[in-house]
Amino acid sequence: MSDFDGNGFAELLIVVILVVLFVFGSSDIDSLTDAPSQG
């Protein structure tokens, strides 16, 4: 049970990290691109 739980948690953690990085990167790029464009 512990092994299965650990595997599931690791997979979920990886997916969450990837999504967060993607969202953060997208937001950062959008913000950085928008600021200079406006200014």
Side-chain angles (χ1 to χ4, degrees), residues 4-22:
F4 185 79
D5 206 31
N7 274 341
F9 185 74
E11 248 182 83
L12 184 73
L13 196 70
I14 289 168
V15 173
V16 170
I17 288 171
L18 284 175
V19 172
V20 169
L21 281 175
F22 186 76

